[in-house]
Amino acid sequence: MPAATATTAGAREHARAQEGTVVYAAPTVPASSQTDVPDGVAPEDVVWSDRLPGGGYAHRVLAPGMRVRLTDVTGDACAQVVLYHADMPWERLNIADTAKIQWQVYPRAGYLLLSDQARVLATIVEDTSGHHDTIYGASTKARNERRYGDGSVHGPSPAGRELLVNGALKNGLERRDVPPAISFFQGVRIDDGRPVWQGSAGAGAQVTLRTELPVVVLVANAAHPLDPRERYTCGALEVLAWRDRVTTPEDPEWTATPEGRRAFENTADHRAGRSTR
């Protein structure tokens, strides 16, 4: 142990001296101090500002009516996202129902992220990427070990599922509670029953979600399991969330499809029953 940190007092001084230096990626705290915000958004309405390196993860509890913007900084990010009802975490993102109920496996603006209770956890309100995946989920430790030699959380090629499990544990959940994720920014299309890798739409692509219920958001930024590149490749991902509002019957997403309308009605009815007003 270095002499400067051989004592408790020395270790404390060394740790405090790191404040303000870039040692590892960390969220902006308070989030309201973030100055790079969308036009029309007041800094005091920003509730989450984070930058995840490749192989990083984040988690946050958000109220209904928050916008969450994900940005692929370099063109190599892969945001693997899982959502839970924050008040009832046994209700969670169900990718199979999300695709089946909407008759669509390719996410885009207006796409609903549905729970297994036929409620809308979040709505995709903006999308400049179009390169996403609802089929193959997050990479696993075993797969990464076969491809890259390591898949552990703190290794050089962390698996997306291991990162999501870490986020789940920090919210009182367990490994068994982590369902298949939706992946943003690295696309897969199905052609004649076979997956076709699309890769990224390029640096700066963004996806914005609007939360419709109180949610726990887990985000892993890890190489997609079908990424054909020989080396583990994953670039930085920016996350920014701010106060907005939930979807209402006046919004086009509410009435875009009969299936979506019923899901929004289920969601609004659920919120009303839990309100004290």
Side-chain angles (χ1 to χ4, degrees):
M1 178 181 291
T5 57
T7 66
T8 301
R12 179 187 62 196
E13 293 306 311
H14 174 77
R16 289 179 176 177
Q18 307 310 306
E19 185 173 14
T21 64
V22 181
V23 180
Y24 57 87
T28 300
V29 178
S32 58
S33 64
Q34 172 62 262
T35 57
D36 183 15
V37 299
D39 291 342
V41 175
E44 59 268 25
D45 285 333
V46 177
V47 298
W48 185 15
S49 177
D50 210 343
R51 184 183 177 102
L52 308 184
Y57 75 99
H59 56 96
R60 189 61 60 106
V61 178
L62 296 175
M66 298 286 183
R67 286 210 180 206
V68 185
R69 188 184 71 186
L70 307 174
T71 303
D72 180 358
V73 178
T74 67
D76 281 322
C78 183
Q80 297 158 13
V81 175
V82 171
L83 302 172
Y84 301 82
H85 189 317
D87 297 336
M88 302 161 42
W90 53 87
E91 181 179 1
R92 57 199 59 167
L93 177 66
N94 188 309
I95 285 294
D97 283 356
T98 289
K100 177 180 66 178
I101 290 173
Q102 295 178 94
W103 308 93
Q104 181 58 263
V105 298
Y106 302 123
R108 58 185 185 272
Y111 201 70
L112 314 181
L113 302 184
L114 302 174
S115 76
D116 49 7
Q117 303 295 316
R119 291 190 278 258
V120 187
L121 293 168
T123 305
I124 300 176
V125 291
E126 296 177 2
D127 176 18
T128 66
S129 170
H131 288 223
H132 312 304
D133 172 37
T134 62
I135 300 173
Y136 291 94
S139 55
T140 64
K141 184 177 180 181
R143 185 182 182 91
N144 278 24
E145 287 176 346
R146 290 195 300 270
R147 291 196 62 188
Y148 309 115
D150 186 89
S152 60
V153 169
H154 300 295
S157 48
R161 181 166 174 81
E162 296 304 304
L163 296 170
L164 291 170
V165 167
N166 251 31
L169 291 172
K170 293 180 179 180
N171 287 275
L173 300 164
E174 300 181 23
R175 177 178 292 272
R176 67 180 182 178
D177 296 315
V178 179
I182 184 171
S183 293
F184 295 114
F185 303 123
Q186 299 294 334
V188 177
R189 307 286 291 190
I190 303 300
D191 184 11
D192 196 24
R194 297 179 179 273
V196 177
W197 173 254
Q198 282 192 307
S200 169
Q206 296 182 328
V207 172
T208 303
L209 311 178
R210 181 163 58 206
T211 62
E212 309 291 354
L213 289 170
V215 293
V216 177
V217 183
L218 306 184
V219 183
N221 185 28
H224 191 280
L226 296 191
D227 192 323
R229 289 172 287 191
E230 183 176 348
R231 298 184 61 184
Y232 185 93
T233 304
C234 190
L237 174 73
E238 287 186 350
V239 184
L240 189 73
W242 62 93
R243 297 184 184 91
D244 190 51
R245 60 175 180 80
V246 297
T247 302
T248 69
E250 288 70 39
D251 292 307
E253 296 89 351
W254 188 288
T255 54
T257 67
E259 296 86 358
R261 175 182 52 77
R262 287 194 294 270
F264 276 121
E265 289 172 346
N266 288 341
T267 307
D269 186 65
H270 177 72
R271 282 197 308 263
R274 301 176 69 82
S275 173
T276 58
R277 296 183 61 184

